[in-house]
């Protein structure tokens, strides 16, 4: 299911993709739903800064948010427009070969395996894979 039914603003999409922090966030969300506290820990940036970037991505129509108690979870939502989905898929695919992005994913994997070692993450819900249908939609957009 698409996040946003309004027509996409391509300039707004490219502006959303033109920031390293936002690209790092998208990389961490690819194929999973992640609690904001993991972004703060992995990227080493303040919660307000992370939230501002996530809001930018939500306003661009490529990220969805879900509240669970005090936790906010974020995930990539497939754009309804095929050309926009193709652009987003290409960006996500390109991020996979970037060393910084690979390091971020490794940090996420370590944090998920031992959140008790990180005070900030104690009690935080672990990132979960997005439903298989959503993942297959995302992968079909990439290919």
């Amino acid at each position: 299911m698409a996040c946003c039914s309004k027509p996409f603003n391509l300039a707004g999409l490219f502006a959303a993709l033109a920031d390293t922090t936002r690209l790092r966030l998208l990389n961490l969300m690819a194929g999973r739903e992640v609690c904001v506290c993991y972004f703060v820990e992995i990227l080493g940036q303040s919660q307000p800064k992370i939230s501002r970037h996530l809001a930018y991505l939500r306003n661009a129509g490529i990220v969805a948010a879900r509240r669970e108690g005090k936790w906010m979870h974020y995930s990539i939502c497939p754009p309804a427009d095929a050309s926009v989905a193709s652009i987003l898929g290409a960006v996500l695919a390109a991020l996979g070969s970037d060393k910084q992005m690979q390091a971020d994913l490794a940090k996420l994997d370590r944090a998920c395996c031992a959140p008790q070692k990180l005070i900030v993450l104690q009690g935080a819900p672990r990132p979960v894979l997005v439903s298989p249908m959503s993942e297959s939609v995302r992968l079909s957009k990439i290919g």
Side-chain angles (χ1 to χ4, degrees), residues 42-55:
I42 291 161
L43 300 184
Q45 297 178 6
S46 70
Q47 185 273 325
K49 181 176 181 182
I50 295 293
S51 291
R52 206 169 34 253
H53 283 291
L54 288 166

Side-chain angles (χ1 to χ4, degrees), residues 13-30 39 43 53 57 62 76 87-88 90-92 94-96 98 100-101 104-105:
L13 173 67
F14 284 112
L17 298 174
D19 180 86
T20 303
T21 298
R22 290 192 288 272
L23 289 174
R24 291 175 75 190
L25 291 167
L26 288 170
N27 178 59
L28 291 169
M29 286 183 275
F39 297 135
L43 300 184
H53 283 291
L57 292 169
I62 55 177
I76 295 173
I87 292 166
L88 182 58
V91 168
L92 292 172
L95 295 177
D98 183 272
Q100 175 66 61
M101 303 300 168
D104 287 347
L105 287 174

Side-chain angles (χ1 to χ4, degrees), residues 70-85:
K70 67 178 183 175
W71 308 104
M72 285 299 292
H73 301 269
Y74 293 87
S75 60
I76 295 173
C77 57
D81 183 295
S83 60
V84 174

Side-chain angles (χ1 to χ4, degrees), residues 101-115:
M101 303 300 168
Q102 292 169 357
D104 287 347
L105 287 174
K107 286 181 190 177
L108 179 62
D109 288 341
R110 283 192 304 274
C112 290
C113 292

